[in-house]
Amino acid sequence: DAGVIQSPRHEVTEMGQEVTLRCKPISGHDYLFWYRQTMMRGLELLIYFNNNVPIDDSGMPEDRFSAKMPNASFSTLKIQPSEPRDSAVYFCASTPRGGDADTQYFGPGTRLTVL
Amino acid sequence: RKEVEQDPGPFNVPEGATVAFNCTYSNSASQSFFWYRQDCRKEPKLLMSVYSSGNEDGRFTAQLNRASQYISLLIRDSKLSDSATYLCVVDFQKLVFGTGTRLLVSP
């Protein structure tokens, strides 16, 4: 099994640009999570999907952030326009059940730097 | 008050030492508890679940104190490879991660 796949692994962009992060969950997992990690705030849940439907997006910081899951094997997290404070590592994770931490698998993350 | 609080460290210990981390949580209705390990520039990975009765996995022992709302992780006979950040995770409707405790094991 390839595990959770994220792309790009690194992204450097300028303030105001649109950024799109991509995630492919583990096949057969029906929950997908997007997290953001910073030194100050640690790992924060942004949004999660169940069977491609967004369930809880209360962690999405503001309207500049949006996430979609058009099918069971693909999700995107978009930031438009990006700001320097969005610089962080963004992780995608998937589980075969309802968010159980003992079955949650993280992708390698996307390290985003907004200049 | 943060939902999950950890001492950021770093904890610097020599090989073979015993080291313990604590983590406090604010929501008394939290149902499940876990320790994750995160290596530098890597993704978090589950280390172990924490059960009410306490549980052990080799050199690692986790304990839960619901009355005082804290969980602990004890590592015996530390190895160089134990150097990492240890994240405390509490599950109440969603997973809430602590900011982590950094451990450095030196020769």
Side-chain angles (χ1 to χ4, degrees):
Chain A
D1 195 329
V4 176
I5 299 172
Q6 290 188 247
S7 66
R9 295 292 306 276
H10 302 273
E11 177 81 28
V12 180
T13 190
E14 292 187 344
M15 182 173 64
Q17 296 298 306
E18 176 181 301
V19 175
T20 300
L21 312 180
R22 297 173 176 80
C23 175
K24 176 179 168 56
I26 293 173
S27 177
H29 285 193
D30 48 13
Y31 283 83
L32 183 142
F33 303 80
W34 281 102
Y35 290 90
R36 176 173 69 176
Q37 187 174 36
T38 61
M39 288 291 291
M40 291 299 296
R41 300 173 67 90
L43 200 62
E44 302 173 284
L45 177 64
L46 300 177
I47 184 171
Y48 77 92
F49 296 82
N50 178 22
N51 291 320
N52 314 337
V53 177
I55 302 301
D56 183 353
D57 65 355
S58 58
M60 295 285 262
E62 49 197 273
D63 292 345
R64 297 185 297 107
F65 285 69
S66 62
K68 295 182 179 179
M69 192 166 185
N71 57 63
S73 60
F74 183 66
S75 177
T76 61
L77 177 67
K78 185 177 293 187
I79 308 172
Q80 181 186 20
S82 58
E83 297 181 2
R85 60 191 168 126
D86 301 330
S87 297
V89 181
Y90 291 81
F91 288 103
C92 176
S94 69
T95 80
R97 303 195 286 275
D100 292 355
D102 57 353
T103 56
Q104 183 153 141
Y105 296 89
F106 283 78
T110 295
R111 186 171 295 273
L112 173 65
T113 302
V114 182
L115 303 175
Chain B
R1 182 184 174 187
K2 289 184 179 179
E3 291 179 272
V4 179
E5 292 201 66
Q6 294 182 252
D7 181 342
F11 284 59
N12 290 284
V13 302
E15 269 187 296
T18 295
V19 61
F21 311 134
N22 284 336
C23 161
T24 59
Y25 60 95
S26 60
N27 193 327
S28 60
S30 299
Q31 299 169 345
S32 303
F33 308 86
F34 308 89
W35 284 101
Y36 270 63
R37 170 191 170 129
Q38 187 172 23
D39 292 295
C40 187
R41 293 184 173 267
K42 298 288 188 180
E43 70 273 21
K45 293 183 179 178
L46 178 68
L47 177 65
M48 60 195 302
S49 302
V50 186
Y51 303 120
S52 297
S53 56
N55 50 297
E56 190 173 306
D57 183 2
R59 298 181 294 108
F60 298 82
T61 300
Q63 291 195 313
L64 167 65
N65 185 319
R66 285 190 182 271
S68 300
Q69 294 182 206
Y70 77 84
I71 67 174
S72 63
L73 177 67
L74 180 78
I75 306 175
R76 291 181 299 276
D77 189 22
S78 301
K79 311 292 185 190
L80 294 177
S81 58
D82 294 334
S83 297
T85 297
Y86 292 84
L87 306 174
C88 172
V89 185
V90 175
D91 188 353
F92 175 67
Q93 298 181 345
K94 67 177 183 180
L95 296 184
V96 180
F97 287 76
T99 52
T101 297
R102 191 170 174 209
L103 172 65
L104 299 172
V105 182
S106 55

